[in-house]
Amino acid sequence: MHYSFRQLSNYVAIFVLFFGLHTGLIGQVDKIHIEYERISDRVLVVWGGKIYKDQVVAITTEKGIVLIDAGKAPTLTREYRKIIERESGRNDFTYVINTHYHFDHTSGNQVFPEAAIIAHQKTPALMKNWTDNRQAFVDGRRANQLPQWISQRDAAEPGSEEWERFNDFVTTQIVMFDDYENNYILTLPEITFNDRMTLDLGDITLKLYYWGEGLHTGDDILIYCPEEKLLFSGDLFFKGALAISYVPSFDEERQIKILDDIFENENNVKWVYDCHNGRMTGEFIYLFHRYMKDIWNKLSEVKNKGMDLNSILNDYSYGKEFSYIVNSGIDKESLNRGHADNLKFTWYSINNTKSAAGELEKIINEKGIKFALLKFDEIKSLPEINYFFAENEFNQLGYALLSAGKIKEAIEIFKINVEKFPGSGNAYDSLGEAYLNNGQKELALKNYEKALELNPNNSNASQVIKNLRERK
């Protein structure tokens, strides 16, 4: 294993892990880029990837080292551990805290057998479910996402940010695939909590908050360190968006109270770290806190005034009522689009709008796809305030069914997505994949062709079409 070092003011760039891995798809993987940055005498951030980061944070305390998240692959996490031990001069890992169950935050748990692992009480079951289906996950990524990322990387200018981002995806996936197939041990959290938890570590206090449903996985937690004025957000927040929720049912009042507690004083947070996209200032999250409260309060006031969604979107537009969010530094197009989503989902939450995908998933599990399709026929023409149809939710449900081997059920769900979102190339791409899994090649070809028509940049669809035509 080879290391080369390059000094970068406060941090050092390390190029590690030269592989001789070959596949028909990608050829040789050159290297993975690892960096670390010391935030203070007690806090060290280590990550793999130049642009899209696989990040862990080590906090050295009087009662041992605490690791926040454990990375996407044990092979990489072992390298992170070596750096942490070398830089701290210690190896007494006491706790590993998983911010949520996703593979890229928990797969390195096994590298710290001496540490107690902490997470929300929902996390162990979610981790186990993912582990049970990880081969399908690997097979799907290897066949679909990986070729697309390679194509996008090769189309970019070498050395550009876009090239580096896709190169991060490609190189780390290879390590992940090998680990998940040959070097993976499910290592579950042994300490869980429901609402809040405080760790007294002598000179450091860590406050853990369960965030709730809506924005990401449903088991996400925030970790606040008052002594260092640091907030660790997992995948909840990142500096390119002010997203409140992506589903119509979430506990915004609870989430506001969490931020009320953290921001009892405006200056309580200096930096906020997510796990993939770099740090944010405390001012950014403080602005998000104010914005979240303003939306909730303003829409709650007009709940019973008979307004429809279009009126809400018009009367409470970003330009009319929330122009201060321009201080976030996010471009105006993204702000307008994101603000409209925040208004929509907050309005749905206040009015108890149901998720159509969630309703059909429940019926599939309890009664089967036949009854779910009857329910769809019943609700598809109702006003949107009753049932919300989200393309991404139906896509996720379809893939969950595919992973569970319920291919015919997945096809029906993807067909609903195409019906509701006929302009979405991704909806047709997913339906094509389901037909292909079911051996229905003509229907697969038809849907992949439609996907490519709607999105000519869909390299995955283009490759599948080429393969199907060659096999005719």
Side-chain angles (χ1 to χ4, degrees):
M1 191 164 295
H2 173 72
Y3 292 85
S4 67
F5 293 83
R6 180 168 58 92
Q7 184 69 39
L8 292 176
S9 61
N10 293 332
Y11 55 91
V12 180
I14 307 167
F15 295 86
V16 299
L17 302 176
F18 287 82
F19 295 94
L21 302 177
H22 296 266
T23 72
L25 290 175
I26 65 168
Q28 185 176 4
V29 176
D30 294 324
K31 62 193 171 208
I32 290 177
H33 180 87
I34 296 180
E35 295 184 21
Y36 63 89
E37 179 181 8
R38 182 164 288 287
I39 305 304
S40 73
D41 290 342
R42 296 181 289 201
V43 183
L44 185 72
V45 183
V46 186
W47 66 90
K50 282 191 174 182
I51 304 297
Y52 189 78
K53 300 178 179 181
D54 173 49
Q55 180 176 282
V56 303
V57 178
I59 305 174
T60 54
T61 79
E62 290 179 353
K63 297 184 179 180
I65 300 173
V66 179
L67 192 78
I68 297 177
D69 282 322
K72 64 174 60 175
T75 294
L76 290 177
T77 302
R78 288 189 188 96
E79 298 306 310
Y80 304 158
R81 175 167 184 157
K82 290 177 186 177
I83 292 169
I84 294 165
E85 291 181 356
R86 185 185 68 238
E87 290 300 306
S88 67
R90 297 169 57 173
N91 63 1
D92 54 330
F93 289 88
T94 303
Y95 296 109
V96 174
I97 305 175
N98 297 147
T99 58
H100 59 287
Y101 82 93
H102 274 172
F103 63 93
D104 51 345
H105 297 255
T106 60
S107 295
N109 283 355
Q110 68 191 62
V111 178
F112 305 92
E114 73 274 39
I117 301 171
I118 302 173
H120 186 259
Q121 64 182 19
K122 293 181 181 179
T123 301
L126 292 168
M127 285 178 62
K128 188 175 186 307
N129 182 67
W130 181 86
T131 299
D132 290 344
N133 295 285
R134 76 179 184 278
Q135 189 60 55
F137 169 86
V138 170
D139 292 343
R141 285 216 167 186
R142 184 179 279 141
N144 299 311
Q145 284 97 332
L146 188 58
Q148 185 171 346
W149 289 332
I150 292 170
S151 176
Q152 289 170 306
R153 180 191 63 181
D154 293 347
E157 181 71 24
S160 66
E161 182 174 322
E162 183 179 14
W163 188 94
E164 295 289 2
R165 179 179 295 275
F166 288 114
N167 191 58
D168 289 340
F169 292 161
V170 171
T171 56
T172 57
Q173 296 300 304
I174 297 303
V175 184
M176 281 169 47
F177 296 160
D178 185 67
D179 274 353
Y180 294 166
E181 291 178 326
N182 304 302
N183 183 35
Y184 178 85
I185 301 169
L186 174 62
T187 308
L188 295 172
E190 54 211 85
I191 301 173
T192 62
F193 67 99
N194 178 42
D195 183 31
R196 300 185 181 196
M197 179 179 180
T198 299
L199 290 179
D200 179 358
L201 298 158
D203 55 335
I204 284 283
T205 304
L206 294 180
K207 296 183 177 182
L208 283 58
Y209 301 86
Y210 170 54
W211 184 250
E213 302 282 348
L215 189 54
H216 191 231
T217 60
D219 68 322
D220 302 274
I221 65 173
L222 290 175
I223 304 162
Y224 174 50
C225 180
E227 292 84 359
E228 294 284 342
K229 293 190 174 183
L230 295 175
L231 180 65
F232 303 97
S233 65
D235 285 352
L236 285 171
F237 311 138
F238 72 100
K239 57 187 175 184
L242 290 173
I244 292 174
S245 180
Y246 297 115
V247 296
S249 179
F250 63 103
D251 193 349
E252 190 163 356
E253 289 179 296
R254 165 203 183 83
Q255 294 160 5
I256 289 170
K257 287 178 181 178
I258 290 172
L259 295 181
D260 284 343
D261 184 61
I262 293 172
F263 285 105
E264 185 178 1
N265 183 300
E266 181 178 348
N267 299 314
N268 276 2
V269 177
K270 182 177 181 181
W271 296 110
V272 183
Y273 280 84
D274 83 351
C275 284
H276 302 300
N277 300 286
R279 68 186 182 185
M280 298 155 275
T281 64
E283 288 86 353
F284 180 89
I285 299 301
Y286 185 75
L287 183 145
F288 173 76
H289 175 217
R290 173 190 170 188
Y291 170 62
M292 192 178 190
K293 290 173 75 170
D294 281 354
I295 285 186
W296 182 262
N297 291 335
K298 289 179 184 295
L299 296 195
S300 295
E301 288 172 1
V302 298
K303 175 183 178 182
N304 298 316
K305 292 188 176 181
M307 298 178 71
D308 61 15
L309 180 60
N310 287 332
S311 298
I312 292 293
L313 294 174
N314 179 66
D315 292 358
Y316 294 93
S317 67
Y318 142 64
K320 290 181 179 178
E321 293 282 345
F322 300 91
S323 59
Y324 63 84
I325 62 176
V326 73
N327 295 323
S328 66
I330 299 170
D331 67 272
K332 290 186 177 181
E333 182 181 350
S334 297
L335 281 178
N336 274 311
R337 184 172 58 250
H339 178 64
D341 282 343
N342 289 334
L343 287 175
K344 177 172 65 177
F345 289 119
T346 301
W347 186 241
Y348 288 155
S349 182
I350 288 170
N351 287 280
N352 297 313
T353 301
K354 294 181 180 179
S355 163
E359 186 76 6
L360 297 191
E361 180 180 17
K362 181 181 178 182
I363 294 172
I364 290 170
N365 291 334
E366 293 178 353
K367 296 182 179 180
I369 190 65
K370 177 181 176 181
F371 289 93
L373 295 177
L374 290 173
K375 185 66 176 181
F376 170 64
D377 287 337
E378 174 190 330
I379 68 176
K380 65 181 180 181
S381 299
L382 292 176
E384 195 175 20
I385 201 67
N386 298 104
Y387 284 94
F388 169 67
F389 284 82
E391 179 188 347
N392 67 312
E393 287 188 16
F394 276 93
N395 203 54
Q396 290 170 6
L397 174 56
Y399 277 108
L401 292 166
L402 269 185
S403 296
K406 299 179 179 180
I407 300 177
K408 292 181 179 179
E409 290 88 342
I411 288 172
E412 295 301 330
I413 292 300
F414 288 137
K415 284 167 66 176
I416 289 174
N417 223 16
V418 164
E419 178 179 338
K420 296 296 292 186
F421 303 96
S424 168
N426 189 58
Y428 282 97
D429 186 288
S430 298
L431 180 56
E433 183 177 342
Y435 278 131
L436 194 58
N437 273 268
N438 205 39
Q440 296 173 272
K441 295 181 181 179
E442 288 297 327
L443 286 172
L445 179 60
K446 178 181 177 182
N447 281 277
Y448 275 116
E449 287 173 340
K450 184 65 176 179
L452 190 61
E453 175 189 329
L454 291 168
N455 178 14
N457 295 319
N458 187 337
S459 57
N460 175 63
S462 180
Q463 185 62 49
V464 174
I465 290 167
K466 179 182 177 182
N467 293 341
L468 287 171
R469 287 174 177 169
E470 288 176 349
R471 295 171 188 168
K472 276 191 172 184

